[in-house]
Amino acid sequence: MSTALVILAAGKGTRMNSDLPKVLHPIAQAPMLAHAMRTGAALEPERLVVVAGHGADLVAKAAQQINDRAEVVLQEDQLGTAHAVDMAREALAGFDGDVVVLYGDTPFLQPDTLERMIAARKTHDLVILGFEAPDPARYGRLVMDGDTLEKIVEFKDASDAERAITFCNSGLMACDAKTLFDLIAQVGNQNASEEYYLTDVVELARARDLSVTAVSCDEDQTMGVNSRADLVNADAVFQARARAELLEDGVTLMAPDTVYLAIDTVIGRDAVIEPNVVFGPDVTVESGATIRAFSHLEGCHVSRGAVVGPYARLRPGAELAEHTRVGNFVEIKNAVISEGAKVNHLSYIGDATVGTNTNIGAGTITCNYDGVMKHQTTIGARVFIGSNTMLVAPVSIGNDAMTATGSVITRDVEPEALALARTPQENKLGRARKLFDLLKAKKARRNKEAE
Ligand code: UD1
Ligand code: MG
């Protein structure tokens, strides 16, 4: 059976107190929406519809960036969750598989929970995801009769007896498209909030004698994010889970609580991550690599046996081959560092390629930017770049060449050549002595005048 995901993301998120739509606030450096979409991807949905409202343009752009198959539909006025799902009706016209509804602001759902809902669909027409809440607060309550879900009552509309129920509605639902849209067409807004409640489809389905049940998951999976404080908690939950998974996968985290991970961080077995390392989006660290303390990585790839840091910064497009070494206070951006090459101290290598076994001396800078455009630096294999060399791009250095310390390289260097580009040194004999005497006399005069 094919599946269509419908992700509700039109709400304003008033309590975020922000200009940014709620679902675009980041957890582990990816919009909340990306977390929901990633979980949903486990069902390999044939269709993916995002219902946007507040900040729809931004939400649409983000949704398409996360998955270019996402179709975004607009809910101009937020008249309730049933109305929101109804916005997908046209987009899904003719689709005859299952619709799974999820919320864009519920980032912790686990893929196997969705799979259990789909499995329950084999024997039931409509499946709701519920959870036991010791403190059910304002959640909708699930009114069960054995395995049958009879109705969902919103907190505002619930009687005292119904409020005493602790089995709650997560908001997730699975149903075949035709039945769901038929039921939604019947939903009215005669309730305490004057909203079109998606939850009403349960009672409507039961009136048609359809079979409705609830699958249950842990409360922490259904945690919604409504405020900045929730966002901080959500990030902490994500980090704790992701660190535990890495440890399980055979990665050494010397001080797990100090390592900050992104939604898509990939780290291989037997890699070592020292304390206080920050991973931005899109980082892969292969098996056996070491990332030393206080390094910051984003958009980069670190191969087997490479050692990075302490205090290194790898920016987007940094590609480190096997057994490379990038040391302290080195920044690498959009550059390939080939096997065995070393950039050990205080350097900036940007828009460059560095050949195998090349050594880049301390303080080397690729001057890649002329104030308007970026230019490329190409350094061959087995090159020795002397300390404090300025490589003024575009420029290339041939294999087995050398640059003298302190050189400003503005022209290409042939293979095996030594490039020497600095002012020759002159030693003026006795001149230091004279200068010292002169300066001391001047200081003495000043002190006397001040008395
Ligand atoms: C909803 C459920 C409630 C459940 C709770 C779980 C209904 C009527 N109630 O209540 O039973 O316990 O979620 O968190 O469904 N949205 C839209 N357009 C709208 C309204 C909402 O896109 O017109 C989106 C929101 O952005 C949000 C989600 O739907 O992502 C849920 O809406 P929200 O207003 O938070 O519903 P609750 O009142 O929490
Ligand atoms: Mg809510």
Side-chain angles (χ1 to χ4, degrees), residues 188-201:
N189 67 346
Q190 293 80 38
N191 52 53
S193 312
E194 295 186 346
E195 278 184 16
Y196 296 87
Y197 289 161
L198 182 60
T199 45
D200 283 357
V201 299

Side-chain angles (χ1 to χ4, degrees), residues 260-282:
Y260 190 80
L261 301 159
I263 185 174
D264 56 356
T265 304
V266 177
I267 306 180
R269 192 163 164 260
D270 288 324
V272 175
I273 312 297
E274 290 189 0
N276 295 297
V277 174
V278 175
F279 290 91
D282 192 22

Side-chain angles (χ1 to χ4, degrees), residues 241-314:
R241 270 192 198 170
R243 290 166 188 146
E245 277 168 24
L246 288 177
L247 293 172
E248 191 76 19
D249 291 346
V251 175
T252 299
L253 302 177
M254 285 169 64
D257 289 351
T258 69
V259 174
Y260 190 80
L261 301 159
I263 185 174
D264 56 356
T265 304
V266 177
I267 306 180
R269 192 163 164 260
D270 288 324
V272 175
I273 312 297
E274 290 189 0
N276 295 297
V277 174
V278 175
F279 290 91
D282 192 22
V283 174
T284 304
V285 175
E286 285 185 14
S287 259
T290 300
I291 311 297
R292 304 200 56 199
F294 296 100
S295 294
H296 189 286
L297 293 79
E298 56 189 319
C300 62
H301 175 218
V302 178
S303 304
R304 277 167 190 276
V307 181
V308 173
Y311 297 98
R313 180 171 185 207
L314 301 184

Side-chain angles (χ1 to χ4, degrees), residues 4-8 85 99-103 171-174 180 198:
L5 286 181
V6 174
I7 302 184
L8 305 191
V85 176
V99 169
V100 174
V101 177
L102 28 145
Y103 293 172
L172 267 81
M173 175 176 294
L180 182 64
L198 182 60

Side-chain angles (χ1 to χ4, degrees), residues 30 156 159 269 371 375:
K156 280 188 189 171
S159 64
R269 192 163 164 260
H375 301 283

